[in-house]
Amino acid sequence: MKINDRYISIENSSKFQKLVKRRNTFSWFLSSIILIIYFAFILTIAFYPKLLGIPVAQGMVTTIGIPIGLFIIVFSIILTGFYVNRANGEFDRLTKEVIEESLK
């Protein structure tokens, strides 16, 4: 079997199509979540800056914008870990199945 034929057979494989669809759907879902959060934060800064300038507690210098910004960073890291966990599990398993099927 030629290498190009193998690529074509992989692309036409139902397992490969399933892998691509699942991976793309999952990554777009996670990307959408983080984009919504980022845009909400930026729009809040643009249109309601006083909201993020409210002190965390009376007499404190730290405003609620700081913990919200930190939350966004930590949440992004958690979502990245969630994606990596799924990629190393389900997506790698499906990739292995596609490769084994193409070698037959």
Side-chain angles (χ1 to χ4, degrees):
M1 178 180 274
K2 290 183 181 179
I3 203 97
N4 289 339
D5 294 338
R6 182 164 290 149
Y7 288 139
I8 291 170
S9 70
I10 289 172
E11 285 180 350
N12 294 332
S13 166
S14 63
K15 286 185 180 182
F16 179 75
Q17 298 296 327
K18 179 180 171 183
L19 168 66
V20 170
K21 184 177 180 181
R22 280 188 178 180
R23 189 185 62 212
N24 287 344
T25 302
F26 187 61
S27 61
W28 276 110
F29 173 71
L30 294 181
S31 296
S32 299
I33 289 172
I34 206 62
L35 281 174
I36 289 168
I37 291 172
Y38 279 137
F39 277 113
F41 185 67
I42 297 301
L43 290 174
T44 303
I45 291 170
F47 295 108
Y48 304 104
K50 290 182 182 179
L51 180 67
L52 296 175
I54 299 171
V56 173
Q58 188 128 6
M60 288 188 70
V61 178
T62 305
T63 64
I64 63 169
I66 300 295
I68 291 173
L70 289 173
F71 166 77
I72 292 171
I73 293 168
V74 171
F75 189 71
S76 299
I77 293 168
I78 290 169
L79 282 184
T80 302
F82 189 57
Y83 178 83
V84 168
N85 185 42
R86 187 158 178 196
N88 289 339
E90 177 185 356
F91 299 151
D92 280 355
R93 181 182 47 78
L94 286 172
T95 302
K96 185 178 178 181
E97 289 175 12
V98 168
I99 291 170
E100 287 174 356
E101 186 178 280
S102 75
L103 295 175
K104 291 181 183 179

